Amino acid sequence: MTTVAAPAVTTAPATGRHPSAARGRVTVNVVMVAMILYFLLPFWWLVVAATKDNDALFSTAALWFHSPGAFVTNVRQLFTYNDGEYLRWMGNTAVYAGVSGVGATAVATLAGYAFAKYRFPGRNVLFSSLLGAIMVPATALAIPTYLLLSKVALTNTMWAVILPQLLNPFGVYLVRVYVQESLPDELLEAARMDGAGELRVLWSVALPTLKPALVTVLLFSMVGTWNNFFLPLVMLNNDKLFPLTVGLQSWYQGALIQSGANALFTLVIAGSLVAILPLIVTFLLLQRYWRGGLTVGSLK
């Protein structure tokens, strides 16, 4: 009887992660670090430049500090220059961002909830038009909006900045998607069977569930209004109503005209740094809510 020996099977020793996978991970990390540095560089320059006086701003190293004392002086001058003009602009910006953010969130919530849970004639056509409105640049609508508001004598008023910001097509879209994914019809029907009216269902059942989406819309609306420049530039000619963006631009133009003789360049830089601090604090406080709103729809 002849026996045939089975071929030997050799097992390659485990060497850990595949080399190509490791190289890919390193490449991804390098790209991520490069992007982080790219986005942080302007902020770093702003912090560094705020520590310089008007002369050092143009004569010292661009990306390194100069004098902590100059920073304190710049901030003090920022809040006292021209009878505290900067504080007035910051107050205007807070009003614009707060009222517009809350109003835009309310409109987006009602519209998004209606698109998601109600059936009415023209629903799909209206929502398709809404999606098309997302693609229209806001700057393209500034002049038509100015002509419209001028007919009702609202230009050069706070309402000229607030009213256009109440319409947020992306916010409506976000709320609609979130309602469809996280708010089952059975939950609403159970509330209706218990005798709750439509407003009670919306207030007591839908809104607590929609908190991440609402905070996301609120945050994006407030940031968009806080950073808005072209709309208030078109609508306002009274410097007492300026937001920070337009006010700092007027200082910058004044610095160019005076060739920096009035030290306005340092005020513009210090004002820009102070202007972004409320946004950073807001993002840090609300990040757990708006991250949940942005990732809606990724999981079923």
Side-chain angles (χ1 to χ4, degrees), residues 131-176:
L131 293 179
I134 298 177
M135 307 303 296
V136 179
T139 53
L141 301 176
I143 301 302
T145 303
Y146 174 83
L147 296 176
L148 178 64
L149 293 179
S150 66
K151 295 293 185 181
V152 291
L154 286 179
T155 55
N156 202 33
T157 66
M158 283 192 166
W159 291 111
V161 178
I162 294 173
L163 290 179
Q165 300 292 332
L166 298 182
L167 302 178
N168 187 348
F170 176 75
V172 177
Y173 169 77
L174 181 64
V175 172
R176 188 209 184 199

Side-chain angles (χ1 to χ4, degrees), residues 1 3 39 69 88 92 119 142 157 189 264 269-270 293 296:
M1 182 176 179
T3 59
F39 284 107
R88 182 168 61 248
N92 294 341
R119 303 294 181 267
T157 66
E189 290 298 330
L264 289 179
I269 291 173
V296 63

Side-chain angles (χ1 to χ4, degrees), residues 29 47 49 56 92 98 100 111 123 126 157 161 176 205 207 285 289:
N29 290 336
V47 173
N92 294 341
S100 298
R123 171 174 170 264
L126 288 175
T157 66
V161 178
R176 188 209 184 199
V205 179
L207 291 185
L285 293 178
Y289 294 109

